[in-house]
Amino acid sequence: RKEVEQDPGPFNVPEGATVAFNCTYSNSASQSFFWYRQDCRKEPKLLMSVYSSGNEDGRFTAQLNRASQYISLLIRDSKLSDSATYLCVVSPSGSARQLTFGSGTQLTVLP
Amino acid sequence: DGGITQSPKYLFRKEGQNVTLSCEQNLNHDAMYWYRQDPGQGLRLIYYSQIVNDFQKGDIAEGYSVSREKKESFPLTVTSAQKNPTAFYLCASSMFASHEQYFGPGTRLTVT
């Protein structure tokens, strides 16, 4: 079983739609959780951290369910510029600050 | 502007040659990391360094070597022992107390 699993997609949605991505992780001791965005042939960029209470940043909402070891990302009112691959990222416990990356979910927002 | 730079953007080498990829940061970050990404796969950790003159192997260190002589620099050497070196190589850095990592633009290495 992969440490971080994501549905690879692709998700093709019309502009203005709401889309949700899910991610599961296997290490119950994981401490920190993130969503990164990666445009085609570019580096990943931090989109948002995911907190236990859930957090929102504009059109983006992230949720964490520690009991089910599940993370989600909701994008409302999708824009063409949201087209990218979204990486679910988990940090195991310990002081090494290592990150484990999911393979990513590809989103294409269509006009 | 603060950031992470990697050079070159594209690199082509013949099989059997060692090649060194550059990574420099001016963010005053303590920790630096090297990852490789293959098509359709997640990033995999090659090496990381939390302080100068110290570094640890990641999940796929075989065939790679690093040095950390300065806080701002963390070069990666891909040796001829790496069986499948063609990949997208990404360098990242973070503050010591943070899990948030910031990436450079990457180097695409092609070995033929």
Side-chain angles (χ1 to χ4, degrees):
Chain A
R1 182 185 172 188
K2 286 185 182 177
E3 290 186 61
V4 178
E5 294 210 52
Q6 296 182 249
D7 180 345
F11 284 62
N12 297 318
V13 302
E15 212 172 351
T18 295
V19 61
F21 305 136
N22 302 319
C23 167
T24 57
Y25 60 95
S26 60
N27 185 347
S28 60
S30 297
Q31 289 188 335
S32 301
F33 309 89
F34 307 93
W35 284 101
Y36 277 73
R37 170 199 168 120
Q38 187 173 24
D39 292 299
C40 187
R41 301 180 70 81
K42 300 282 191 181
E43 74 274 23
K45 292 187 178 176
L46 179 64
L47 179 65
M48 58 198 302
S49 301
V50 186
Y51 303 117
S52 295
S53 55
N55 49 301
E56 188 174 308
D57 182 2
R59 298 181 293 108
F60 299 83
T61 301
Q63 297 278 353
L64 168 63
N65 184 324
R66 285 189 185 270
S68 301
Q69 294 177 211
Y70 169 98
I71 306 160
S72 66
L73 177 69
L74 182 78
I75 305 175
R76 291 182 298 278
D77 187 23
S78 301
K79 311 289 184 194
L80 296 177
S81 57
D82 294 333
S83 297
T85 297
Y86 291 83
L87 307 175
C88 176
V89 183
V90 173
S91 178
S93 60
S95 63
R97 306 293 185 266
Q98 296 179 58
L99 299 180
T100 301
F101 287 77
S103 301
T105 299
Q106 185 181 343
L107 170 68
T108 300
V109 180
L110 305 168
Chain B
D1 281 340
I4 304 173
T5 57
Q6 290 186 244
S7 61
K9 191 171 181 180
Y10 298 95
L11 190 54
F12 298 88
R13 280 293 183 268
K14 294 288 187 188
E15 200 173 310
Q17 292 179 332
N18 290 357
V19 60
T20 297
L21 311 184
S22 166
C23 177
E24 304 277 332
Q25 55 97 1
N26 61 5
L27 300 168
N28 200 31
H29 283 174
D30 305 286
M32 297 185 75
Y33 312 81
W34 274 105
Y35 296 89
R36 73 174 273 169
Q37 187 176 33
D38 295 283
Q41 295 191 35
L43 278 68
R44 291 183 289 167
L45 182 64
I46 304 172
Y47 267 98
Y48 64 98
S49 167
Q50 298 188 80
I51 55 172
V52 173
N53 292 323
D54 187 48
F55 47 83
Q56 284 77 41
K57 293 181 179 180
D59 301 320
I60 54 165
E62 186 175 347
Y64 299 98
S65 65
V66 293
S67 62
R68 187 88 187 275
E69 296 175 2
K70 298 186 295 182
K71 185 176 182 179
E72 58 270 22
S73 178
F74 191 40
L76 173 75
T77 297
V78 185
T79 76
S80 55
Q82 167 51 230
K83 293 190 174 68
N84 189 16
T86 294
F88 186 35
Y89 289 87
L90 289 154
C91 179
S93 68
S94 69
M95 291 296 290
F96 185 75
S98 171
H99 285 87
E100 295 180 357
Q101 294 182 16
Y102 297 89
F103 286 83
T107 292
R108 290 195 181 274
L109 174 64
T110 302
V111 177
T112 57

